[in-house]
Amino acid sequence: MTNAITPPKLDDVCPRCGGGFHCGARDARCACCDMKLSEALLKQLSQQYERCLCLRCLTELQAVEQRSERSSQPAKRP
Ligand SMILES: [Zn+2]
């Protein structure tokens, strides 16, 4: 008898990309809790979407925000 590890059920649909994912917010913890998203970004997301986004989109948005922050600020010199 094989004890196959069952993949998490993709019971949520990401409102941004339409992809299936599983939000862990109803479980012990969600992977997105480990993400360091800025308050501005979280606020924007909660206004834009009613549901959680998938981890892929969160990672993407985080990268985009960091990139734009960096380019909009002049290089800091210590
Ligand atoms: Zn997504």
Side-chain angles (χ1 to χ4, degrees):
M1 200 171 152
T2 48
N3 261 337
I5 296 160
T6 39
K9 228 170 101 192
L10 302 180
D11 46 8
D12 287 301
V13 174
C14 172
R16 186 170 178 267
C17 69
F21 75 108
H22 174 76
C23 180
R26 287 182 293 252
D27 303 337
R29 69 181 286 110
C30 180
C32 64
C33 299
D34 292 328
M35 299 214 35
K36 301 269 190 294
L37 298 174
S38 71
E39 267 181 51
L41 183 57
L42 286 173
K43 202 174 164 189
Q44 184 200 319
L45 290 178
S46 63
Q47 283 170 350
Q48 209 169 344
Y49 307 106
E50 284 179 12
R51 304 163 58 109
C52 280
L53 299 191
C54 70
L55 205 57
R56 204 171 14 161
C57 282
L58 291 176
T59 312
E60 206 178 296
L61 289 168
Q62 187 188 37
V64 168
E65 192 190 43
Q66 283 175 352
R67 217 175 303 147
S68 62
E69 259 177 28
R70 214 169 293 156
S71 60
S72 65
Q73 282 175 5
K76 273 184 200 163
R77 282 164 198 271

